[in-house]
Amino acid sequence: MRSVSKHRGALRRGRACAIALALLLGSSGGAAAEEFRIGGTGSALGTMQLLAAEFTAANPDIRITTVPSLGSGGGVKAVVAGAIGLAATSRPISERERKLGAVEVEYARTPFVFAISTKSKVTAITSSELAAIYAGKKVTWPDGSPVRIVLRPASDIDTEMVKRISPDIRRALAAAEARPGVRFSVNDQDAADDLERIPGAIGPSSLAVIASEKRALRALKLDGREPTPANAASGAYPYHKRLFLVTGARRSAVVERFVAFVRSPAGRKVLDSNGQWVP
Amino acid sequence: MSASAESGIVPIVRRLALAFALTVTVTLPAGYFGLDYWNHVEHVELSARLKAEGLTALVAANPELWIYQLRRLEELLLRYPPQLTDDRAIIRDAAGNALITLGASPPAPVLVRAFPIYDSGRLVGRVEITHSIRDLVLGTLAAGLLGLLLGALVYATLLVLPLRALRRVTVALDRETAALRASEARFRTVAQTAADAIVTYDAVGNVVGWNAAAEKIFGYPAAEVIGRPLTLLIPQQYQDGGPGSMNGAPAGGERRIFGKPVERQGRTRSGSEFPLELALSEWESPEGKFFTGIIRDITERKNHELRISRLNRTLAVLSGINSAIVRISDRQELFTAACRIAVEHGNFDMAWIGLVDLAAQEVTPAAWAGVETGEFLGGVKTRIRDDVPAGRGVLARAIRAGKPVFENDMTVEPHIGGTRRQDAIRRGYRSHIVLPLTVEGGVVASLSLFAKEAGFFNEDEIRLLTELADDISFALEHMAKQDRIAKLSRIRAVSSGINAAIVRIRDREELFQEACRIVVEHGNFVMAWIGMLDKAAPSIRPVARAGRDEGYLDALNLSIDSNITGNMALAAEAVAGRAPVVCNDIEADGRMRPWRTAALERGYRSVAQLPLVLEQRAVGVFALYAGEPGIFDEEELKLLVEMAGDVSFALEHMSKEERLNYLAYYDALTGLPNRALFVDRTNQRMRARGGERRMVALILLDLERFRNINETLGRGAGDGLLRQVAARLAGAVEESDVLAHVGGDQFAIATRRAERGEDVAHILDQTVTRALSQSFEIGRDQLRIAARTGVAVYPTDGADAEGLLRNAEAALNDAKKTGHRYLFYAPQMNARVAEQLRLENELRKAVAGEQFLLHYQPRFEIATKRIVGLEALIRWRHPERGIVSPADFIPLLEETGMILEVGRWALRRAAMDHAAWCTAGFKPPRIAVNVSQVQLRRKDFVDCVKDSLAAVDRAAERIDIEITESMLMEDVGGSIEKLKAVQSLGLNVAVDDFGTGYSSLNYLARLPINSLKIDRSFIIQMNKGPEQMAIVSTVISLARALNLKVVAEGVETEEQANLLRLLRCDEAQGYLYARPMPPDAIAGLLPRN
């Protein structure tokens, strides 16, 4: 009971701070409603929407819009150019981006997973099975249904992460990319859509996407390890994506407030409950 | 072509080659570049356009932030066709900043194409594709190099080849020009030195060219003839340009002579004419038209040709006559052909052949040809004696010398020879040759040839004509030999034919007739006859004749009365003189005067009368009449006398043989064959029919008590008895039997009529018993004679007649000892015959004593199991053996004919039993009675049936008859008639044992029958297999198709009955339903009225 009340207390405190901050900002910004847009990596978009909803509920004068996935690079570019207020990326910014004025802050991590539709009975996979699937040697699931692979573009961070799992997988993936008729999903949402939609499809995703967007996808145990944030945080599950918030050199107060909110216990709570952990 | 012309052509060729080479050099790389460059441009433009269109679609979807959707932009560039491969793609914003760049910068030179990206019509960026065309440039350079090479090649080829050809033409032309000049020089020399005259004249006909040969041939030097008209060289009569003219052109009408040599007449300077051969040609030069004639003096050739032509003519005659010699075998025909050939092929105006009679010193024309030869000869003989004028002529001289004699101009000595020679001269004949024709060194004919041309014969011709005469002589000699051979062959053929007849024929008359026939048919004589001497008359009586007689013989006086020898026929003369009489020319022979006309009318020209001599006495004559005179020469006559001798020999032999034969083979007392002949003929019977071992029975009989008769009544009485017995036996045996008196009181009979022992017993009854049944009259005594008989049978008792006779004797001896009337040699045969005869005897008693009875077997309708008929079956109740099966006695009844009587009884009995059942209140079905083949075979079968049933009222309603299928097939036609008649009486007819007799379906349909009874053998087998079942089924279907009732016989099991029911068989009979049973038992089964 005590812990609950403590927790509630912390929540109440956070909320009060937020409201106070909002009031402050609102008063400094005048009576007109302020808005900004969040874009960038698809892995973060669902979570950003939840955070934005939470945030705007406390700050009704602020309107936040999440734009469809621009990818990490596109997001950085857009935030530097001022086309959006805040970018979420799944990689740290590059030196060149930094020189353009981009500023990053890591706000969460999420297990990098292989996902499959919840309609499937498959719950686990091994890296050798993955290699066989990408090599085209394993073409059916145990129930006899065909295996279909969903790939990401070669330059995407997800493709790079898959390749890192093992040299076999790296080789097999190169072969898979050359096969005709293989599905390439341009961003995380497309990939999640395809995995949900295509029977027997398997492909990379993140627990953040699955949880925040309430996807009908199952994150598979890999080599016998459960892809939970706890396992990932402990290193028992070795694959995870780092998530950053990036702003341009000139950032508005509301963005600052939103960033603060994300890093606040309230924001952290949202992250925790959506397959992410704060490092 | 000259060298200057060549030098003019060379620069043109060179320029043309260069132009072609440059074209090739430039066209190849330019063409390559042009074609490929546009491919590149198209590729780049297409790439930029498609990608830009894809981007425009992305912009439309996200107009604000599309430039940040870097992943999508990249994907668009990568995924939109065509693939970028080595190209670089850049997306620029409206300001030209590169948003995204894919691919490295391609190697220069490059082709850059950009395509705009729009946002609702506003330019927001562009896609820029950079594409390297380095390969294109390198390829173009390579094509340029290749073009350069090809250009060089083209230049070399086009320059070198025409120039080389040009040079060759030039060289050839130079060579030809030189040759032409040399030829011209040669021609001039040839013209001057030619053996033929070469004369050229102009269009007006004046001579303009004249070579040395012309001078030599015509005698004019060139100076004398040049410029003068051509007519100088042509005889006057040919100068008009007529057919003989040498002058072709001026006359204008002889163009046809150009180009081919023609023969003409020419005139020399001295004015003499000579034949020439002219080849004329026409040519033109700037000076005008000219004609050149090449002229050859052909005087010598013409003379030679004339000689050859004459020789050819004679050779044609020689060859024609030789071919006639080969073809023709008749002398007269050959003569005619020879004369015709001489005139037609030899150009002789007259030819004739005369037959030379050296004795009479005359020549008679035998054949001739030529328009007036017949008139010239007048059919008159030419005398060749040297004391008459004709005897000094060419003909007489040639015949006397045996060598050809000729004259080439008959007018030189017009007065020698006879009138015929004068006539020939008058008719214009000038040349004449006579060729003697010889046979065996003697001149037999002459060939005379006449020609109106003088000097016809030269040495060559005489040689050929002599050869010709030799050939004809050879042919004549050959023909004479052939005639002779033919004549002798003819006689030999006759002789050989008659000898064959002598060997073959045993009868005198037949031999005579055959001899006459052979003479006429094989010997080509007109007529032949044989006459025998009738001493009583005394005259010759013709006994055989052949050929063209036509009453000639009948008119002939054949008396040999020596008192009238003056008029004695030649035949009588031959008999009287016992020597051949020949007349070789009936027409001329005085001895034939009385009969000449009659003989000539019938075509007789010569005759030979050959006496037939028997034991040194002339007993007859063989006369041969030939159609040709002179046929009987010495050699022929010798052969004919030999032939007559053969006939005489045969005659003698026959007389002796006839007597000996009779004594050897016949018994003089009875006139019957003796033992030897009996054995011979019996052996013949055994061998008869190509080795078929048919039974021959030899019956040997011995008269009992004969010795007593001889002893008591004397030998004469005994002989008389034997003669009477022989006569009776001869009357009793059949023609095919052999009857013989084999010695003493024994007679033997060999017969092939018996097939079994019982038959022998019957034959004995019919012959021996019957022959001896009546008494014999010997003087005043009436004697009864009995005989014992022994029988042996071929092949069981002996393989030949002697063996059989021996065994028959043994059997006879046994019979005598045991007192049997007859005995067989084989004991078992005796037993069997005895048994059969006993049975036969008992059957006779049974028939008489009515020991037979009828049992009945009912017939049922299968469907209702109702009795629908009864079959009457005969049984014999033997007084000792009880009931005897019909199989044991029916065959014997049939053999003995007793079946007829038993059959009648059976029909009557069945009808009576039926009537009795009716009277007793039963309702019996009809009774079928079996009819035997012996009954059916009889002509009175229908009457017998009618008679048998006459005693019973309405018998026809009670009775049917059954006959077996095999009986029907024996005489289908007869059976049909009889059965129809039986049916018309009201009786039904069933065919029994159907299926065993191979009936033809064709007959079956025609037969007047009511039902078929399927043989029991098929019924028993029917459930044993599908084939047997098929037979029964087929018969049932067949019967139904023919609308006949069908009855199954011998049904013994329920299974059979069921099958038959299924097969829709109407009725059945057999142990399953009821066994045959006596009439009383049957009554219990019958329905009551």
Side-chain angles (χ1 to χ4, degrees), chain A residues 37 74 81 153 155 187 190, chain B residues 64 68 71-72 74-75 99:
Chain A
R37 290 190 286 196
S155 58
N187 57 41
D190 286 355
Chain B
E64 286 184 10
Y68 303 110
R71 195 79 64 219
R72 280 213 192 279
E74 188 184 317
E75 279 300 306
L99 294 177

Side-chain angles (χ1 to χ4, degrees), chain A residues 37 67 69-70 74 77-78 81 83 153 155-156 184 186-187 190, chain B residues 62 64-72 74-75 79 98-100:
Chain A
R37 290 190 286 196
V67 299
S69 175
L70 297 173
K77 223 171 182 179
S155 58
D156 195 278
F184 282 90
V186 173
N187 57 41
D190 286 355
Chain B
N62 193 0
E64 286 184 10
L65 294 172
W66 68 272
I67 52 170
Y68 303 110
Q69 287 182 303
L70 298 176
R71 195 79 64 219
R72 280 213 192 279
E74 188 184 317
E75 279 300 306
R79 306 287 168 213
L99 294 177
I100 188 161

